[in-house]
C-alpha cells in the first residue's frame, strides 16, 4: 500500500434517528474530539462562523509518536443532511480528504465516514521518506488508527442522535 496511490479507509454505522438529527452532530466540527484518541478539537478560521462550502476551520491533533499539530481544513462538500467533506491543508493537493455521508434508511440513517491519504505532502509522507522500505506498514498502520477513531466517532454520534 503506497501513499502515492491515495489509500482510503471507511467505517459506517446504522443510526435509529432521522438524517436531520444525525446531521446536527456531523456538522459540529468540535464533536469528534469527544471520541477520537487523536483529534483535540477545531475552531472556525477567521471570517467563518459555521459550515458552508469553502468555509475553513483549524483542527488540532496529537499523536504519541508525532506530538501536537494543527492544520487548516477547507469544506469541499456540503449538502445538508447528506454530505459533509473537507480537505486538509492545500485544497489543490490535500494532505488528506475526509467526509461524512448520510443516507436515509427505513429505520433511520446510515452514516459513513471516509478518508483518503494524500496526494499532497503531509507529515506521514515525511516519515515514509525516512523509512521507504517500511512504507506499506506505515500506511497500513495509519489507516488502522484512522479507522479506529472513525468507529469511535460514529458510535459516539449514534449514542447522541439516538439518545
Amino acid at each position: 500500500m503506497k501513499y502515492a496511490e491515495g489509500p482510503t479507509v471507511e467505517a459506517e454505522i446504522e443510526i435509529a434517528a432521522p438524517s436531520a438529527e444525525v446531521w446536527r452532530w456531523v456538522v459540529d466540527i468540535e464533536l469528534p474530539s469527544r471520541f477520537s484518541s487523536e483529534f483535540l478539537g477545531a475552531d472556525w478560521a477567521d471570517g467563518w462562523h459555521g459550515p458552508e462550502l469553502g468555509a475553513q476551520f483549524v483542527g488540532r491533533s496529537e499523536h504519541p509518536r508525532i506530538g501536537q499539530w494543527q492544520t487548516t481544513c477547507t469544506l469541499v462538500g456540503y449538502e445538508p443532511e447528506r454530505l459533509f467533506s473537507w480537505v486538509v491543508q492545500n485544497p489543490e493537493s490535500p494532505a488528506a480528504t475526509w467526509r461524512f455521508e448520510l443516507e436515509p434508511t427505513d429505520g433511520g440513517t446510515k452514516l459513513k465516514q471516509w478518508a483518503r491519504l494524500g496526494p499532497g505532502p503531509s507529515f506521514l509522507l515525511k516519515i515514509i521518506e525516512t523509512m521507504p522500505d517500511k512504507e506499506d506498514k506505515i500506511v497500513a498502520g495509519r489507516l488502522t488508527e484512522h479507522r479506529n477513531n472513525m468507529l469511535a466517532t460514529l458510535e459516539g454520534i449514534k449514542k447522541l442522535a439516538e439518545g
Side-chain angles (χ1 to χ4, degrees):
M1 191 172 329
K2 305 296 182 203
Y3 183 88
E5 296 168 351
T8 64
V9 61
E10 67 181 55
E12 66 180 54
I13 196 166
E14 291 284 336
I15 301 175
S19 295
E21 176 63 20
V22 175
W23 178 253
R24 78 181 191 100
W25 299 107
V26 164
V27 296
D28 178 351
I29 59 170
E30 186 72 18
L31 182 81
S33 68
R34 293 169 62 178
F35 310 109
S36 172
S37 66
E38 183 173 314
F39 183 67
L40 301 176
D43 297 297
W44 292 106
D46 289 344
W48 300 101
H49 304 287
E52 63 181 86
L53 202 58
Q56 292 187 321
F57 63 90
V58 178
R60 298 173 309 281
S61 300
E62 181 176 38
H63 190 281
R65 292 187 304 260
I66 301 169
Q68 288 189 4
W69 70 95
Q70 65 180 32
T71 55
T72 299
C73 302
T74 304
L75 292 186
V76 295
Y78 183 79
E79 298 173 36
E81 297 182 29
R82 190 178 113 48
L83 175 69
F84 188 70
S85 179
W86 64 96
V87 294
V88 178
Q89 296 175 2
N90 181 352
E92 301 301 317
S93 184
T97 303
W98 291 81
R99 74 174 174 242
F100 284 103
E101 295 176 54
L102 293 78
E103 181 183 323
T105 64
D106 288 340
T109 306
K110 179 168 62 172
L111 177 61
K112 181 191 308 184
Q113 189 174 15
W114 174 94
R116 181 185 70 219
L117 302 179
S122 70
F123 192 74
L124 182 64
L125 187 55
K126 290 178 183 179
I127 293 170
I128 291 167
E129 288 169 352
T130 66
M131 298 178 280
D133 57 315
K134 295 186 174 154
E135 180 174 8
D136 290 341
K137 185 176 179 179
I138 293 167
V139 170
R142 193 66 177 129
L143 293 176
T144 297
E145 290 173 336
H146 283 329
R147 187 166 197 290
N148 290 340
N149 281 313
M150 288 175 170
L151 289 169
T153 298
L154 294 177
E155 286 289 340
I157 290 172
K158 176 182 175 76
K159 287 179 185 171
L160 291 166
E162 291 180 351

